[in-house]
Amino acid sequence: MHAYRSHTCAELTAVNVGQTVRLSGWVHRIRDHGGVLFIDLRDHYGVTQVLCDPDSPVFSEVEKVRSEWCIRIDGEVKARDESLVNPKITTGEIEVFIRDMEVLGAAKELPLIVFGDQEYPEETRLRYRYLDLRREVMQQNMTLRSDVVASMRKRMWDKGFREYQTPIITASSPEGARDFLVPSRLHPGKFYALPQAPQQFKQLLMVSGFDKYFQIAPCFRDEDPRADRSPTDFYQLDMEMSFVTQQDVFDTIAPVIGGVFEEFGGGRKVDAPAEWPQITYADAALKYGTDKPDLRNPIEMQVVSEHFRGSGFAIFAKLLEQEGTEIRAIPAPKGGSRKFCDRMNAFAQKEGLPGMGYIFWRRTELPSEAKNNPEHPLFQAREQELVAEYGSGYKRYSVEGMPSQEDGSHMEAAGPLAKNIGPERTEAIRQQLGLGVGDAAFFLGGKPKSFEAVAGRARTVIGDELGLTDTERFAFAWIVDFPMYEADEETGAVDFSHNPFSMPQGGLDALSGDPLEVLGYQYDLACNGYEIISGAIRNHKPEIMFKAFDLAGYGEDEVRKRFGGMVNAFQYGAPPHGGCAAGVDRIVMLLADEDNLRDVMLFPMNQRAEDLMMGAPSEPGSDQLMELSLRVIPQE
């Protein structure tokens, strides 16, 4: 028999009853039932129940084991009583009576419990990651990750791509984030960098004539951490193709990503790649407040400035007198209650705004004779309700401007905005937004960049709280037509807004006008509110590259200094090419239904970019610094 096991802890079934077997694993849970010890023995594959009573020759030894001890047992497979069969596990029909046991690794008192669903601080989980990873959900997440990567590889090979490995030590390159620098021992005072992405190398592969490249590539960026971003390193499915248009890239990668989500999505709906909409960056910002919209939420924001221009709501009316301002509405179907509107107002205040204007529409049940008769008791009762809601200054109730319902009742608009702008404007807003009784709308105003992000978050909260978001679906959208440049709000200086290596739409001619109007062949793929792919058709012509960088303040000498290898290569017959990169960690996070990347990465850093388990970053020894010709200046 094998030294450690004849079977895994997921293999034994009723077919094995009567056999002598050997199992190895961890003590998952111990139960003492009147002198009979039951142990759930766990390995990577599953759990087997083993038991021991005083008749066993090793009973006294088994009594000593504790949770997470690593043990080997020999024993006899027995069938469980029919009433004790556990259908939740593959080995639920049997149990193993222990005849012999060896402790392979005893465990100290545990800093976190592997069995169960207890929550522990992230610091504890990361410091003792090897224990955290033993938990069932983490085993499942990491297995899922491995399977997703294998599926991606197979799908790319099936599409005629080959995998090539690009360097991990390279030159520093400004690609939107900070580099991790590596000092050179052989060249004192000079530094390598860990690649933010294989960007330049994969483009050089196209110049080298390889036509189709992919790689599951590690990328290194010194970034501020957040839930969906690692502060140090991450992996991406990186790909590049020659002689392609933007649509060719979409048609190639979409079935790969869509297929992965279908394979591992747990039955959730995945739209066919041909149905994934292509939304311009400008429209995404307008309708969703973000360039990574969650299309499971059907809410689309609209511009309603004309309804407030010159209105009785002075805040918006005066705001619209300023250049570049507008008012946007966020429809909220089924959100038509004072309570919900107050909650959203509080949300806006938490986001740093004074509040959010709103209107909600409700049915009034007063009969027509009561509506038109101030002396009618029902009219007076309704008036008291409105005075209590709006204050003593409320004007007498009227049905003017209220659309009639089929049952003869009327619909009224409520909320401070409705009172200030009047029934005609309120009704025009309702019709534009397609709302009715029981619905609401929220309003934000100013220069779009000042409130778009908050509006986008408000749209998400509204969709979630009102149950409008389809949580059993993966919804994808290509975001296209990104602006090539952006201007600093304080200095007005122009710089690249995204990837500087993208081909401008219109080529060299497009760069002769206003840089802020230039669009690039850049694109992202959004899924459920996350960016999971970013890519571009590349700028492969040196004259266009020099002009593009010149508009951002980089002269030709600077471009040659920073990107000399690529610029030189493009002078020797570079093909048109493009590609993209898909975030492996983020995709697995979505498939695992997790909210944090650290739950789908084996050994992640914490929020402060520290490895608590290995003690990184650490101080180098003086001999190491001398070898590298470096000196550390103490921070005050």
Side-chain angles (χ1 to χ4, degrees):
M1 190 177 290
H2 188 272
Y4 296 114
R5 60 187 177 190
S6 61
H7 300 77
T8 72
C9 290
E11 284 186 290
L12 298 175
T13 66
V15 175
N16 303 104
V17 170
Q19 295 180 6
T20 297
V21 297
R22 176 170 289 175
L23 303 176
S24 289
W26 287 268
V27 175
H28 191 59
R29 187 171 56 153
I30 307 169
R31 303 181 304 282
D32 186 343
H33 288 187
V36 180
L37 299 175
F38 289 87
I39 294 175
D40 290 337
L41 190 65
R42 181 196 76 242
D43 64 10
H44 175 68
Y45 305 97
V47 174
T48 297
Q49 179 174 282
V50 300
L51 70 150
C52 188
D53 65 19
D55 291 336
S56 171
V58 290
F59 181 76
S60 61
E61 296 301 311
V62 174
E63 281 187 304
K64 299 174 184 177
V65 303
R66 297 292 180 265
S67 291
E68 295 309 305
W69 282 31
C70 187
I71 64 174
R72 172 194 62 78
I73 67 100
D74 292 349
E76 181 184 344
V77 180
K78 296 188 174 185
R80 294 197 198 188
D81 289 339
E82 189 173 340
S83 61
L84 299 177
V85 168
N86 183 356
K88 294 181 180 180
I89 58 175
T90 57
T91 59
E93 295 178 295
I94 59 91
E95 56 194 9
V96 178
F97 186 82
I98 302 173
R99 299 293 184 186
D100 188 26
M101 185 194 75
E102 178 186 0
V103 175
L104 302 175
K108 295 168 56 178
E109 184 176 348
L110 298 170
L112 62 84
I113 303 301
V114 174
F115 170 73
D117 298 320
Q118 296 93 331
E119 291 293 328
Y120 291 92
E122 184 175 79
E123 179 176 344
T124 301
R125 292 182 59 197
L126 295 184
R127 189 177 300 278
Y128 301 98
R129 188 63 164 182
Y130 38 83
L131 293 179
D132 188 46
L133 286 173
R134 291 183 190 176
R135 297 189 301 122
E136 182 179 11
V137 66
M138 297 302 289
Q139 291 274 312
Q140 291 172 348
N141 285 355
M142 301 312 156
T143 300
L144 171 65
R145 181 190 178 100
S146 180
D147 292 345
V148 166
V149 169
S151 179
M152 286 178 170
R153 277 199 165 97
K154 181 179 185 305
R155 292 172 190 276
M156 294 302 290
W157 277 95
D158 289 346
K159 285 191 167 291
F161 285 76
R162 291 183 182 275
E163 186 168 11
Y164 301 98
Q165 285 70 46
T166 53
I168 296 300
I169 295 289
T170 182
S172 179
S173 173
E175 294 182 27
R178 298 181 191 89
D179 285 325
F180 280 106
L181 297 178
V182 181
S184 169
R185 177 181 61 83
L186 297 177
H187 304 279
K190 293 187 178 182
F191 294 79
Y192 303 103
L194 303 181
Q196 294 186 29
Q199 180 70 52
Q200 294 189 63
F201 288 109
K202 70 177 180 178
Q203 290 191 243
L204 290 169
L205 283 172
M206 297 302 102
V207 180
S208 303
F210 283 92
D211 198 68
K212 289 183 178 181
Y213 141 94
F214 90 95
Q215 180 182 190
I216 305 296
C219 302
F220 306 89
R221 299 181 186 179
D222 187 0
E223 295 193 300
D224 296 328
R226 63 186 190 204
D228 67 335
R229 175 189 290 168
S230 167
T232 53
D233 58 295
F234 59 93
Y235 279 80
Q236 63 187 32
L237 166 60
D238 202 52
M239 59 90 80
E240 198 79 5
M241 309 162 66
S242 289
F243 307 109
V244 291
T245 65
Q246 178 173 284
Q247 190 60 47
D248 292 327
V249 177
F250 293 175
D251 293 343
T252 299
I253 196 64
V256 173
I257 300 302
V260 167
F261 275 84
E262 285 182 356
E263 184 178 356
F264 300 103
R268 283 169 282 185
K269 185 179 185 299
V270 179
D271 295 337
E275 299 172 2
W276 297 357
Q278 295 183 23
I279 304 170
T280 67
Y281 174 85
D283 280 349
L286 168 62
K287 294 179 179 180
Y288 311 109
T290 176
D291 59 1
K292 40 184 178 291
D294 186 349
L295 296 190
R296 298 175 303 165
N297 178 353
I299 295 173
E300 292 186 359
M301 296 185 282
Q302 296 187 39
V303 177
V304 291
S305 303
E306 291 309 308
H307 303 304
F308 289 95
R309 205 178 301 278
S311 72
F313 189 61
I315 295 176
F316 282 176
K318 289 181 180 178
L319 193 65
L320 290 169
E321 294 174 3
Q322 303 173 29
E323 186 177 354
T325 59
E326 64 184 31
I327 311 301
R328 291 187 192 173
I330 311 172
K334 302 193 296 185
S337 72
R338 166 74 63 181
K339 190 174 182 181
F340 180 72
C341 291
D342 285 344
R343 284 209 309 274
M344 289 309 302
N345 209 33
F347 162 82
Q349 290 168 353
K350 287 181 182 178
E351 293 286 327
L353 300 178
M356 224 171 12
Y358 61 83
I359 299 173
F360 63 95
W361 287 268
R362 60 190 175 191
R363 186 188 307 278
T364 172
E365 303 297 344
L366 294 181
S368 58
E369 64 272 14
K371 291 191 180 79
N372 295 312
N373 183 4
E375 305 304 320
H376 196 287
L378 293 178
F379 183 103
Q380 293 172 358
R382 179 69 179 125
E383 187 173 49
Q384 288 176 5
E385 291 177 7
L386 294 169
V387 168
E389 186 169 355
Y390 295 115
S392 58
Y394 178 75
K395 294 180 181 180
R396 291 208 130 182
Y397 183 70
S398 167
V399 294
E400 182 182 355
M402 294 182 192
S404 295
Q405 306 298 295
E406 290 182 5
D407 61 2
S409 65
H410 289 75
M411 176 167 51
E412 66 172 346
L417 285 187
K419 186 173 93 170
N420 280 279
I421 67 175
E424 289 184 7
R425 291 175 185 262
T426 303
E427 175 60 12
I429 290 172
R430 186 191 70 80
Q431 291 193 20
Q432 178 184 332
L433 300 180
L435 299 175
V437 169
D439 298 337
F442 297 88
F443 303 88
L444 290 166
K447 293 186 176 180
K449 280 198 172 181
S450 70
F451 68 80
E452 267 177 355
V454 174
R457 290 193 288 273
R459 170 185 173 270
T460 298
V461 171
I462 291 168
D464 290 345
E465 289 210 11
L466 297 179
L468 303 174
T469 303
D470 183 358
T471 57
E472 293 301 311
R473 176 188 173 204
F474 291 109
F476 298 86
W478 288 107
I479 310 301
V480 298
D481 296 347
F482 279 83
M484 281 279 291
Y485 302 97
E486 62 184 2
D488 186 280
E489 291 186 5
E490 295 182 3
T491 66
V494 172
D495 204 349
F496 291 107
S497 59
H498 291 83
N499 192 319
F501 302 113
S502 303
M503 179 67 80
Q505 296 184 21
L508 191 60
D509 292 342
L511 301 177
S512 60
D514 183 356
L516 300 182
E517 293 183 2
V518 178
L519 302 178
Y521 284 112
Q522 300 173 350
Y523 38 83
D524 286 352
L525 181 65
C527 176
N528 293 9
Y530 293 93
E531 172 204 317
I532 62 169
I533 283 181
S534 186
I537 297 300
R538 317 302 180 185
N539 187 345
H540 69 286
K541 296 186 176 181
E543 66 274 18
I544 301 179
M545 181 179 290
F546 289 136
K547 180 63 175 177
F549 275 90
D550 183 62
L551 292 177
Y554 302 91
E556 182 174 333
D557 290 344
E558 181 72 11
V559 175
R560 289 187 181 277
K561 179 180 177 182
R562 295 190 181 207
F563 314 110
M566 199 155 64
V567 171
N568 290 336
F570 285 173
Q571 298 177 103
Y572 295 96
H577 58 281
C580 63
V584 172
D585 313 283
R586 208 168 281 175
I587 288 172
V588 177
M589 184 183 78
L590 286 169
L591 291 169
D593 203 22
E594 298 285 0
D595 297 321
N596 196 311
L597 279 183
R598 287 180 285 282
D599 286 326
V600 296
M601 300 173 69
L602 280 169
F603 300 106
M605 300 283 185
N606 67 3
Q607 289 279 5
R608 300 182 64 233
E610 297 170 317
D611 184 338
L612 300 177
M613 182 179 63
M614 301 298 288
S618 59
E619 295 181 359
S622 57
D623 54 338
Q624 291 176 302
L625 291 174
M626 288 181 64
E627 220 176 17
L628 296 169
S629 301
L630 294 177
R631 179 168 62 90
V632 176
I633 300 175
Q635 298 294 306
E636 294 183 3

